[in-house]
Amino acid sequence: MPSEFELIRKYFERAPREIRPGDRRTRRVALGIGDDAALLRPSAGMELAVSTDLLLEGTHFRAGADARKLGHKALAVNLSDMAAMGAAPRWATLALALPAANEAWLAGFAGGFFALADRFGVELIGGDTTRATPQGAEPGAIVICITILGEVPRSLALFRAGAQPGDDIWVSGELGGAALALTQPGNAAMEKRLEEPEPRVELGERLRGLASAAIDVSDGFAQDLGHILERSGAGAVVEYASLPRPAEVKNIADENLQAGLVLCGGDDYELVFAAPQARRGELAALSAELKLPLSRVGAIQGADARLQVLDGQGKPMRVGHGFDHFAP
Ligand code: ADP
Ligand code: MG
């Protein structure tokens, strides 16, 4: 059986020749995998954005889930956090606890991880690898923990705080597809949204100086917009009918089920953001340029409005809760 070090070298430490001469990444990393720490070269005038996400087998993904898709998703959820901050993703570390040294799994995982990392110029600069199964114990669960580092020009990062009464509320892409796949498997397009989400990295970077607040939808639209409202000391009115949803969700006859998916379904990794009304034209142009639908779904209000979602008749709807790991 290969040692921990052989596995790291084989699957995660990429030979220098794989990074082409002149590749901009070579200048951002002074020292990568293989020493006691990596050395980074942040650009002048930039702030570093740092975020960590942990995925646990059985909680965040099913036992036996496809390793390549997991490699994609584990990085995608971290890239989504960079997008929500308006940061350009640059470097990542990867900590893995594995029940056994399964090389087919490692090859698949690394394939999905690097395919996505290469699209956004992210370099894996280190990590940790350990066996999740102590001597003589039952096999432990897979744990995948990625820390991502990105750069954002000083004072241009997007926060959850900052939304102002009168601002429009916008959503990228569509909501509810990932949650539909989770509750009713079988539709390939919706399963792709759940298993291989597309982080809105370009959008996040372009929203610098344009959005007044932003967040990514990991736990459900209502809950994640709620974080913006709480941090901004604001309320909001949202028109349910204007929330973008895929045909597969739109066609669900049970209206409560449909509303639950759109308002409370997690895992879509779209961006929800606020922007002044005066920026509508720029956002329409940005949507066309990125070929990414941006929908205006409501307005920020004073704090006493809380979060109101209005149905087609203008009547307030009852909104459930998004996902909460510690909910009773
Ligand atoms: P240490 O004993 O200092 O923790 P390790 O032997 O665990 O170092 O790791 C050796 C090198 O391999 C380090 O540069 C570390 O960052 C890197 N590394 C370990 N596991 C991974 C991984 N899963 N992905 C990327 N790099 C890794
Ligand atoms: Mg170590």
Side-chain angles (χ1 to χ4, degrees):
M1 199 154 91
S3 76
E4 174 194 330
F5 306 107
E6 284 160 353
L7 291 175
I8 295 165
R9 203 162 298 138
K10 187 163 171 191
Y11 294 105
F12 297 116
E13 187 177 344
R14 299 213 283 182
R17 65 180 159 74
E18 286 187 60
I19 297 171
R20 289 182 293 281
D23 186 322
R24 57 205 157 90
R25 284 175 298 173
T26 54
R27 283 180 278 120
R28 294 204 181 107
V29 177
L31 184 65
I33 292 175
D35 215 305
D36 294 309
L39 293 175
L40 310 181
R41 290 187 175 142
S43 316
M46 295 288 207
E47 288 178 330
L48 286 180
V50 184
S51 176
T52 296
D53 259 304
L54 185 146
L55 298 185
L56 177 62
E57 182 182 32
T59 300
H60 301 94
F61 59 92
R62 291 182 283 263
D66 181 85
R68 190 178 171 91
K69 290 175 181 167
L70 269 179
H72 175 105
K73 181 157 183 174
L75 181 59
V77 302
N78 280 275
L79 292 173
S80 180
D81 284 319
M82 291 291 105
M85 292 302 289
R90 301 286 193 228
W91 309 279
T93 65
L94 168 66
L96 283 176
L98 301 173
N102 179 339
E103 289 209 54
W105 191 94
L106 280 165
F109 183 89
F113 180 99
F114 283 120
L116 185 61
D118 288 348
R119 279 180 50 208
F120 292 107
V122 170
E123 186 159 8
L124 182 65
I125 46 129
D128 206 13
T129 309
T130 187
R131 215 178 138 95
T133 310
Q135 287 292 328
E138 292 289 304
I142 298 174
V143 182
I144 305 162
C145 184
I146 293 179
T147 294
I148 190 138
L149 298 98
E151 291 181 317
V152 58
R154 199 164 290 167
S155 80
L156 280 185
L158 304 173
F159 302 120
R160 295 177 178 189
Q164 299 289 330
D167 283 355
D168 294 317
I169 299 168
W170 295 82
V171 181
S172 69
E174 295 176 326
L175 300 170
L180 176 62
L182 200 60
T183 50
Q184 297 174 22
N187 179 303
M190 298 301 104
E191 282 180 1
K192 193 164 166 68
R193 292 189 185 194
L194 175 66
E195 295 175 337
E196 294 169 281
E198 178 63 24
R200 302 305 186 189
V201 173
E202 293 97 341
L203 175 63
E205 290 183 48
R206 297 293 294 276
L207 289 178
R208 292 173 190 160
L210 191 50
S212 53
I215 193 168
D216 63 322
V217 183
S218 54
D219 297 329
F221 170 81
Q223 182 162 315
D224 289 320
L225 174 59
H227 293 311
I228 287 186
L229 301 181
E230 191 184 311
R231 290 277 165 181
S232 300
V237 173
V238 168
E239 282 166 33
Y240 172 69
S242 64
L243 289 167
R245 66 205 80 179
E248 288 83 346
V249 171
K250 210 173 290 175
N251 293 339
I252 294 173
D254 180 336
E255 286 178 20
N256 282 328
L257 178 61
Q258 183 175 154
L261 294 172
V262 173
L263 291 168
C264 307
D267 273 323
D268 285 311
Y269 297 100
E270 295 297 344
L271 295 186
V272 172
F273 57 95
Q277 292 178 25
R279 316 303 292 268
R280 283 180 189 173
E282 285 161 89
L283 285 161
L286 181 59
S287 168
E289 185 191 330
L290 298 180
K291 298 187 176 65
L292 174 64
L294 297 178
S295 306
R296 196 150 49 79
V297 301
I300 299 292
Q301 312 266 309
D304 38 326
R306 318 258 304 257
L307 170 57
Q308 283 190 57
V309 180
L310 305 181
D311 67 13
Q313 283 75 49
K315 284 202 312 244
M317 296 170 66
R318 252 199 47 197
V319 180
H321 291 285
F323 189 71
D324 177 349
H325 281 280
F326 293 103

